[in-house]
Amino acid sequence: MIFQLQEIFGGVFPDKLIQRINQVATQRAFPADTIIVDIGQKIEHIPLLLDGAIKVMREDENGHEMLLYHVEKGSTCTMTLQCCIGQAKSEIRAQAETDTLLMMVPSHHMEEWMSQYPAWQHFILNNYQQRFNELLHTIDSIAFHQLDQRLIELLQKKALLQNSNIILVTHQDLATELHSSRVVISRLLKKLENQKVLKLMRNSIEILDM
DNA sequence: TCATTAACACGGG
DNA sequence: CCCGTGTTAATGA
């Protein structure tokens, strides 16, 4: 039995389902920044996050990216689920935000588990709702907030996900995720540093007071 | 007015 | 040297 599976999902799934997952799923570890699923790729597994975080990115026709939302431990990526059911290809790119550990459940188990395990059904529906809410939050952010505020929100989120006030990230990474340019991000970060909100270092940013 | 793009210098690893 | 960073000038929305 994989320790984290019981630890993270023991409160959500009955023992019988935990054992089923343990039987059929493959455990996989991805170092930070690894692309786990890319756009256009066929989806054959449902990922259950045991540890770490995944960022879900969208890409436009010019190859410019944009962060949609993060998936944290104890959750799954619902865009993946949608693709599983329809046997479609991925509309998004899933990339490891931090070092990530997950269980890959072959997608053909979905249908059976949905009817057999009420806890699984609740888990999936709750995840849909969570993902949808996060997406709404992102849309609000794009539509109603200025870039400087979106940058602060992203830094706070990253501090949370990396569980540290020192965030390992480059200005270019931030620009890409916010669908902006590095010049602008560097300028905003410099402004925030002058306001003593954060401290800039090469490849990392320390949050001082937000 | 403010964002993007390109270009360049600086410097730390 | 390589690459992330800080800045500026030109251009566009």
Side-chain angles (χ1 to χ4, degrees), chain A residues 86-161:
Chain A
Q87 293 289 326
K89 289 176 177 174
S90 180
E91 296 286 337
I92 52 89
R93 169 176 302 134
Q95 194 171 5
E97 170 84 28
T98 63
D99 290 349
T100 297
L101 185 66
L102 33 86
M103 297 294 284
M104 307 286 272
V105 181
S107 52
H108 64 262
H109 293 288
M110 272 287 285
E111 209 174 329
E112 183 198 337
W113 290 4
M114 284 295 272
S115 55
Q116 195 173 348
Y117 299 103
W120 179 261
Q121 195 186 96
H122 287 148
F123 173 72
I124 296 300
L125 291 176
N126 280 335
N127 260 279
Y128 259 111
Q129 193 182 353
Q130 276 176 38
R131 243 26 81 200
F132 193 80
N133 283 339
E134 284 200 57
L135 212 47
L136 283 183
H137 187 267
T138 304
I139 290 171
D140 284 347
S141 181
I142 299 166
F144 306 131
H145 295 170
Q146 297 301 316
L147 189 58
D148 54 353
Q149 196 177 341
R150 294 176 55 210
L151 176 59
I152 289 174
E153 286 170 15
L154 181 58
L155 289 172
Q156 285 171 334
K157 182 84 185 202
K158 281 184 179 295
L160 208 65
L161 293 176

Side-chain angles (χ1 to χ4, degrees), chain A residues 56-207:
Chain A
V56 175
M57 313 282 293
R58 193 89 170 100
E59 192 175 72
D60 70 11
E61 63 276 9
N62 302 318
H64 292 135
E65 292 179 283
M66 154 104 217
L67 175 69
L68 293 183
Y69 52 78
H70 289 99
V71 183
E72 295 170 60
K73 71 175 173 181
S75 287
T76 187
C77 177
T78 323
M79 287 300 294
T80 311
L81 299 171
Q82 183 211 324
C83 295
C84 283
I85 295 164
Q87 293 289 326
K89 289 176 177 174
S90 180
E91 296 286 337
I92 52 89
R93 169 176 302 134
Q95 194 171 5
E97 170 84 28
T98 63
D99 290 349
T100 297
L101 185 66
L102 33 86
M103 297 294 284
M104 307 286 272
V105 181
S107 52
H108 64 262
H109 293 288
M110 272 287 285
E111 209 174 329
E112 183 198 337
W113 290 4
M114 284 295 272
S115 55
Q116 195 173 348
Y117 299 103
W120 179 261
Q121 195 186 96
H122 287 148
F123 173 72
I124 296 300
L125 291 176
N126 280 335
N127 260 279
Y128 259 111
Q129 193 182 353
Q130 276 176 38
R131 243 26 81 200
F132 193 80
N133 283 339
E134 284 200 57
L135 212 47
L136 283 183
H137 187 267
T138 304
I139 290 171
D140 284 347
S141 181
I142 299 166
F144 306 131
H145 295 170
Q146 297 301 316
L147 189 58
D148 54 353
Q149 196 177 341
R150 294 176 55 210
L151 176 59
I152 289 174
E153 286 170 15
L154 181 58
L155 289 172
Q156 285 171 334
K157 182 84 185 202
K158 281 184 179 295
L160 208 65
L161 293 176
Q162 298 190 15
N163 197 27
S164 166
N165 280 338
I166 297 177
I167 307 163
L168 299 177
V169 73
T170 65
H171 298 184
Q172 183 60 65
D173 289 339
L174 295 169
T176 301
E177 293 185 14
L178 293 172
H179 199 258
S180 178
S181 62
R182 189 187 63 77
V183 182
V184 174
I185 298 301
S186 289
R187 200 183 67 232
L188 289 175
L189 285 171
K190 203 69 201 163
K191 194 174 81 187
L192 291 170
E193 185 180 45
N194 291 334
Q195 293 168 0
K196 307 286 184 216
V197 174
L198 44 79
K199 187 179 172 202
L200 297 177
M201 290 158 290
R202 192 185 171 84
N203 284 313
S204 67
I205 297 170
E206 182 176 2
I207 307 294

